[in-house]
Amino acid sequence: MQQITIFGGNRLQGSLEIETAKNAILPMIAGCLLTSAPVVLCKVPCITDVQNMFEILRRMGCVVQPDGDKVCIDTSNICQHEIPRELAQAIRSSIFMLGPLLARQKKATVVFPGGCDIGARPIDLHLSGLRDLQVEICEQHGYIYCNGERMKAGVVHLDYPSVGATENIMMAAVLLKGRTTIIHCAKEPEIVDLAKFINSMGGKIKGAGTDTITIDGVSKLHGTTYTPMPDRIVCGTYAIASAVTQGDVTLTNARPQDISALLTKLRYSGCQVKCKRDTISVQAPKRLRSVLNVETQPYPGFPTDLQAPFLAMQTISNGISVITENVFETRFKHVSELVRMGAKITVKNRTAIVQGVPSLYGAEVMAQDLRGGAALVLAGLTAHGTTTIKNAQYIDRGYERMEQKLALLGANISRQS
Ligand code: EPZ
């Protein structure tokens, strides 16, 4: 079990480059199945979700060759259409492989990915969208068997703008003759980046970033060399790290427009936020003002992935904050751990009411999911005394060397295996 220890109270200062986006890279790794030509992904961060996705490709007969922070992926010798069970259950993003496997091989089998710590995570929208493209799907004994022999372009109207379902259906349609239209689709920046990635391989996707995407099928895709977008959630997390430590931090390789909902709240909290094309500087006040109301929403609303880090920030802000989690049904596992550090929070259904306190105190706490773990690190940075965060391996799923990067900004933080 991995553990992070923080002696809180240090002010963060300096500059930090933001790594590329986990939630853009994961569907791109699946998208490599759309071509038998080599694909090179650049600036790939060292995080476990990405390593697990690479391992799935390797187990299916593909070659995944790291070269520094570049990774060359060659799926020409793929030898199966079934996603290995234990890996599919270890990483939910394996569900993104359904679409590309159907496009490439007209067949795909995957185990039901099951729920996780933040919710049931159903995949009904993925499956109904593929059925709209005439994919025959049989759900039996915990497996999903897909037959795409009679797949054809069509219109998919999503009941909810699901990020994963949008990406899966988009990739399923790339090699389908004719025009596929996805209506009421997700508009996240990661969707735009995935479309850019596929178009760089010769795909014809239009409308990404709006609520309607069209895909004109092509006969085949060629290879590409691609650098994914910066990770907006990692960027937002480090912006909040500056805010909670009275810090003065500049984030480079950052895209302000991707997290404008958060930056607006940081300004309201009393932070000075200065943005240029690809940098964000956050200078924090001595005491943050509470943000009265935050509701997570699909993009461009406040991102659900920053709910936990932002809630940690509200625990030491001056006033009352009401935070509503509209996207996932059980995404408050971090609250009980923050209360152990002296936070005053009550949760009712999907709403957390936070009464800000002047300071938290260090404690031994347990990470229970990726973003909740990051929230505990942020709380530890500001708490008086020592905080020990158990199960820190959750954080490694989506943050590259988090403790090393925070130490470079002045945090008193270390990791023990
Ligand atoms: C993606 O998950 C992200 N993961 C999540 O980031 C992110 O929180 C989420 O989008 C929302 O932005 C990746 O991109 C790898 P959804 P995804 O489908 O695609 C319900 C992180 O911390 N739903 O938009 O699974 C679902 O239960 C992770 O980096 C259905 O009901 O999100 C949820 O309530 C966590 N049926 C809501 O939609 C479906 O078929 C949003 O899910 C699919 C989803």
Side-chain angles (χ1 to χ4, degrees):
M1 169 163 67
Q2 299 281 320
Q3 173 177 303
I4 287 178
T5 302
I6 305 170
F7 187 77
N10 289 13
R11 181 168 182 262
L12 298 193
Q13 287 181 291
S15 175
L16 178 67
E17 181 179 342
I18 299 301
E19 63 229 39
T20 52
K22 165 177 90 80
N23 291 349
I25 295 171
L26 294 177
M28 287 175 190
I29 293 171
C32 291
L33 291 166
L34 291 167
T35 178
S36 56
V39 171
V40 178
L41 290 177
C42 304
K43 297 182 75 178
V44 176
C46 182
I47 55 178
T48 47
D49 273 10
V50 165
Q51 299 310 320
N52 282 334
M53 278 294 267
F54 284 147
E55 187 53 29
I56 291 177
L57 287 187
R58 290 192 180 98
R59 295 275 292 278
M60 296 175 77
C62 306
V63 175
V64 177
Q65 186 60 50
D67 172 15
D69 67 358
K70 289 189 175 68
V71 179
C72 181
I73 299 147
D74 182 339
T75 68
S76 54
N77 291 323
I78 186 167
C79 59
Q80 64 181 62
H81 63 269
E82 178 169 347
I83 301 163
R85 176 193 181 104
E86 68 284 3
L87 286 169
Q89 289 182 312
I91 170 143
R92 298 186 40 75
S93 310
S94 53
I95 195 69
F96 292 145
M97 289 181 167
L98 274 188
L101 278 173
L102 284 163
R104 175 84 176 268
Q105 299 187 325
K106 302 292 181 228
K107 268 178 105 173
T109 300
V110 69
V111 67
F112 249 100
C116 71
D117 295 291
I118 63 175
R121 309 294 293 275
I123 57 169
D124 55 308
L125 298 174
H126 295 245
L127 302 184
S128 60
L130 292 173
R131 285 189 171 109
D132 290 343
L133 302 182
Q134 311 311 314
V135 176
E136 289 160 24
I137 299 176
C138 169
E139 300 160 52
Q140 216 168 40
H141 310 307
Y143 279 86
I144 303 163
Y145 302 94
C146 300
N147 177 350
E149 291 303 333
R150 281 180 285 285
M151 259 177 107
K152 59 181 190 214
V155 177
V156 177
H157 194 131
L158 290 174
D159 290 343
Y160 176 89
S162 155
V163 171
T166 301
E167 293 167 338
N168 226 342
I169 296 156
M170 189 162 86
M171 291 194 279
V174 166
L175 302 175
L176 270 189
K177 194 164 172 298
R179 170 166 286 189
T180 294
T181 303
I182 309 174
I183 302 169
H184 193 213
C185 58
K187 302 188 275 193
E188 272 67 7
E190 291 79 10
I191 306 269
V192 177
D193 210 34
L194 177 62
K196 275 174 65 182
F197 167 72
I198 294 172
N199 286 347
S200 76
M201 296 158 78
K204 289 193 178 138
I205 299 172
K206 292 195 180 76
T210 73
D211 59 11
T212 302
I213 290 175
T214 59
I215 305 104
D216 291 319
V218 294
S219 54
K220 73 184 281 189
L221 294 182
H222 51 72
T224 187
T225 295
Y226 194 83
T227 302
M229 62 178 272
D231 194 310
R232 62 193 175 102
I233 305 304
V234 168
C235 182
T237 304
Y238 289 129
I240 295 171
S242 182
V244 299
T245 60
Q246 302 173 22
D248 181 359
V249 173
T250 295
L251 302 168
T252 62
N253 189 39
R255 294 191 332 187
Q257 69 276 19
D258 288 350
I259 49 168
S260 58
L262 170 71
L263 299 183
T264 301
K265 302 298 184 189
L266 291 182
R267 290 189 176 104
Y268 180 84
S269 307
C271 295
Q272 268 202 42
V273 179
K274 295 191 190 102
C275 299
K276 293 192 186 120
R277 196 175 60 79
D278 60 358
T279 63
I280 300 171
S281 295
V282 179
Q283 287 177 304
K286 278 218 172 311
R287 182 83 194 272
L288 295 160
R289 177 168 56 176
S290 291
V291 176
L292 179 57
N293 182 42
V294 172
E295 297 222 15
T296 66
Q297 298 289 352
Y299 189 85
F302 192 93
T304 174
D305 295 346
L306 284 174
Q307 177 260 103
F310 189 78
L311 191 151
M313 176 181 151
Q314 296 310 296
T315 62
I316 53 158
S317 296
N318 187 8
I320 300 279
S321 183
V322 178
I323 297 173
T324 305
E325 172 54 64
N326 292 312
V327 177
F328 289 104
E329 63 270 31
T330 54
R331 202 168 197 177
F332 283 129
K333 296 266 175 70
H334 42 286
V335 166
S336 56
E337 301 304 299
L338 290 169
V339 167
R340 290 163 59 82
M341 299 175 72
K344 292 198 180 328
I345 313 169
T346 48
V347 172
K348 198 163 172 48
N349 302 325
R350 288 186 177 233
T351 298
I353 299 168
V354 186
Q355 183 188 335
V357 293
S359 64
L360 299 177
Y361 43 78
E364 187 169 293
V365 291
M366 189 78 78
Q368 302 188 43
D369 59 67
L370 165 56
R371 307 302 176 184
L376 297 178
V377 171
L378 297 175
L381 291 174
T382 179
H384 290 181
T386 301
T387 299
T388 306
I389 300 161
K390 305 270 189 203
N391 279 345
Q393 62 276 12
Y394 275 111
I395 300 168
D396 301 333
R397 287 189 43 215
Y399 294 87
E400 181 184 60
R401 297 191 295 275
M402 186 181 210
E403 72 280 357
Q404 292 177 29
K405 295 184 176 183
L406 288 170
L408 286 174
L409 293 174
N412 184 337
I413 183 171
S414 60
R415 174 186 286 252
Q416 298 79 32
S417 296

